[in-house]
Amino acid sequence: MTQPINVWKKTSTAALLALLLALPVAEGQSSAQAANPAASAQTVEQKNAAQAKAKEMVEALMANYGVTGAQYAIRDGGKVVLSGGTTLDDSGNKQNIDAGSMFGIGSVSKMYVTAATMMLVDDGKIDMDKPLTTYISDFKMADERYKEITPRMLMNHSAGLYGSHYKNSMLLGDNDTQNYDQLLSNLSKQRLKSDPGEYSVYANDGFQLLELLVERVSGMGYSEFLQKNVSEPLGLTSTKTPLDTFDRNQLEPIRLPGIPNALLPENANILGTGGVYSTAEEMTLFSEVLSGKHPELLSAASAEAMLQPEYRNGVWVPDTKNAFGYGLGWDSVDLEPFGDYNIRAATKGGDTIMYHSALITLPDDDISIAFVTSGGSSVFNTTAGTDILLEYLKQTGKITNILPEQTFQKPVKQAMPASMDKYSGLYGNVGETRIVKIENGAIQMPALMSDMIPAQSYVYTGDGEFTSEDGRAVLGFDEQTNGHTYMRITSDLQFPSIGSSRMAFYEVQKLDANPVEASAAAAWKQREGKTYYALDEKINSLFYIAPSVLTKTIKLDASGGYANGTKIVDADHAVNVAEIPVMNGRDTFDLDFSRQGGIEYLQADGRTYVSEDAIQPIYAGHASLVTIPASGSVRWFDIPASLAGKTLTAELPEGTGFAVYDANGAPVGLSVAMGSNTAVLPEGGKIVFGGAAGNVLKVNLK
């Protein structure tokens, strides 16, 4: 759902590592083994191979990838055959996890709203190829093409929506529904980035619209619909949404380095997109619905329709082996490496800020695995789940051997034809532009995929492709049918101790020159390098832990025609131009500036931001009052050098709080997350106070 925080990096997890102590993982044994004479003849080691692999994966994730709790389950033929996991207590000691511990499952929630939609298709209440406006008459956008959007396009990510409205969606201990309540209003002001159906690129807002569709057509609230049509028939007792009433102590604790106690519960208040809580065992039971094994809930025909390669209906990377390959709801309907064993596999991953999940199903074999964590990333969960599932398939005789990891060699440079020079130039994706230079048959590339692909040189190796120094990544250029030229990356991503994943995607899109009129160019030049700060995010938002989401620093390309990857059209406006399939074209935005009372504001991605020029130093006296204005949820202040090292203590009325950041933007004081009303002020940092309009916070400096 959201982009996960990169807490898995070694540099970011040092504080976590001191907490990690080794304890055994709780496991369940396969009942199928006892019934299988061939399995009973195996050695104990062979019988427990999947069990041992699961324990190995959990230990690796907790030691190296920022995971503080993990739970998994395999279901085979309707029975749980493997279940277990590990969690940390408040002292940092490892404990066996309870099978009933609930995790936020992030974007795996999309499978629930997709299934709900298809249930209504089965009932003849929805035609997934009719316009969405047939069912949501008040759905409108600032682009007449919205009338062409269908429910199918929402489910396969091809509707052309900008992507996501995240404002006030991820809250600590707060199930505020304002994000969902404002969905139609936000979309009414937005254009489409492409023709509906032209290509698939990940879009969260589409699944929020599906949630609304289910409510409008069924006549009941979405949480109620899930309870009545999924949880009750399947006997699910731990599959809930933030709007349900249940014991929040069942939720797996979420933790941050340096904070001894667990945080308040995380509420992903975008239910269709990522708001479901569940357990690994209950996820695998729901997976049987998605495989057509419960026709009384979802017809086999609808389940099969969800498993079709919808991504191939539009512009897409040509590679066949890929972690991405959208069906209806599914991230991939032909997940590798299972195809190498002639096994059909589908997967869905999910990330909130603190929870991460993966569901893999083998629909023709009635086998599934769910792997959920607190901390980490869905990419790692999917990789770990794949390895465990392969071990289980081998253990039960469904495959003979596990194929060895592919090896890679340093590339041998070839003579490059002059025709490749045309691909040098300006490229962009969401948020940035870059110059791609092809010099002497080589391209220098920065780190890609959140540093999962390291910065390195790619040399020409023939057939229009360049190969990385480590041999793991191949770069090419595709001139696609929609008129755009894309840089294509195919890479075998290696995750030490847990495995690898093959990904193929379009990294950037070639951009045309964009000459800008002189006065407009001057206005943008004045903004270059300035940071704008969000004013309307609630102070209990988890995004204050990852403040990059709440700031925008304006960056122009060398020619001055583009800002943060958007195309400048006049002195105050720049529009999205990224039309990139798969993932790198997701969550696009426009930039719209305005001024009021001499202060410049920015509107982007549904939020209002204020210029750094308007941020004043916090009052340096011993005591002061901070009043939250009616126009926004928060007030930002600079921390001058004279206050560095002083301790701030605030009297915080209910619903208020603050966050303190150092000069590099790293959080050093989070009152809501830490449960503390004091913080030491860093030199050159910033502090933001938040609450309801009119709240007054008393601040003391000592």
Side-chain angles (χ1 to χ4, degrees), residues 38 47 53 80 125 159 216 222 303 359 416 435 446 467 491 527 531 617 681:
K47 286 182 180 180
K53 177 61 72 173
V80 174
K125 296 178 179 179
R216 292 288 181 88
Y222 179 65
L359 175 66
M416 188 188 79
I435 297 294
T467 303
S491 180
R527 298 183 183 114
T531 299
L681 300 182

Side-chain angles (χ1 to χ4, degrees), residues 425-437 445-446 487 507-514 528 553-568 574-578 580 584 589 591:
L426 179 65
Y427 287 75
N429 58 25
V430 178
E432 68 168 347
T433 55
R434 70 177 74 138
I435 297 294
V436 173
K437 294 181 180 179
M445 289 293 293
M487 176 190 287
E507 168 64 14
V508 284
Q509 167 187 325
K510 202 168 194 299
L511 301 177
D512 295 327
N514 181 40
E528 185 168 18
T553 301
I554 303 303
K555 299 176 183 177
L556 304 181
D557 73 300
S559 71
Y562 293 86
N564 298 68
T566 61
K567 184 177 182 179
I568 295 171
V575 299
N576 168 69
V577 290
I580 307 175
N584 278 15
F589 54 83
L591 299 175

Side-chain angles (χ1 to χ4, degrees), residues 446-487:
L448 308 175
M449 289 288 290
S450 298
D451 294 341
M452 287 188 280
I453 302 174
Q456 55 191 314
S457 177
Y458 292 65
V459 299
Y460 189 75
T461 49
D463 298 323
E465 295 183 329
F466 300 75
T467 303
S468 63
E469 295 169 23
D470 61 11
R472 286 188 168 273
V474 175
L475 181 159
F477 296 92
D478 290 345
E479 298 177 23
Q480 271 288 4
T481 54
N482 62 354
H484 292 303
T485 296
Y486 299 106
M487 176 190 287

Side-chain angles (χ1 to χ4, degrees), residues 87-107:
T87 185
L88 297 179
D89 62 22
D90 286 348
S91 299
N93 298 315
K94 287 184 178 178
Q95 305 289 342
N96 293 339
I97 202 166
D98 189 278
S101 292
M102 297 164 61
F103 288 71
I105 64 172
S107 283

Side-chain angles (χ1 to χ4, degrees), residues 10 16 21 102 125 142 269-270 317 381 393 517 609 689:
K10 297 279 188 178
L16 272 175
L21 303 173
M102 297 164 61
K125 296 178 179 179
N269 297 314
I270 38 181
V317 290
N381 293 11
L393 294 175
E517 188 268 335
Y609 300 78
F689 295 94

Side-chain angles (χ1 to χ4, degrees), residues 1 107 110 113 153-166 187 190 192-193 199-210 272-273 326 329 331 348 580 582-583 585-588:
M1 188 187 76
S107 283
K110 291 179 172 67
V113 77
M153 294 173 187
L154 300 179
M155 292 186 280
N156 67 20
H157 299 280
S158 71
L161 300 171
Y162 265 34
S164 306
H165 286 88
Y166 287 135
L187 290 174
Q190 204 165 73
L192 292 173
K193 62 188 173 192
Y199 63 86
S200 293
V201 59
Y202 207 80
N204 284 318
D205 281 351
F207 293 81
Q208 290 294 90
L209 283 169
L210 287 174
T273 289
Y326 304 128
D331 284 344
K348 183 74 191 82
I580 307 175
V582 192
M583 287 294 283
R586 64 176 287 181
D587 298 346
T588 57

Side-chain angles (χ1 to χ4, degrees), residues 74-79 287-288 291 293 307 338 341-346 361-368 389 392-393 396-399:
I74 294 179
R75 189 177 296 268
D76 185 350
K79 296 180 180 179
S287 180
E288 293 187 332
S291 298
K293 304 302 187 293
L307 288 162
F338 294 97
Y341 303 89
N342 295 314
I343 295 173
R344 183 167 65 149
T361 185
L362 312 182
D364 304 323
D365 299 273
D366 196 13
I367 299 174
S368 62
L389 193 50
Y392 177 74
L393 294 175
T396 53
K398 293 181 173 65
I399 62 175

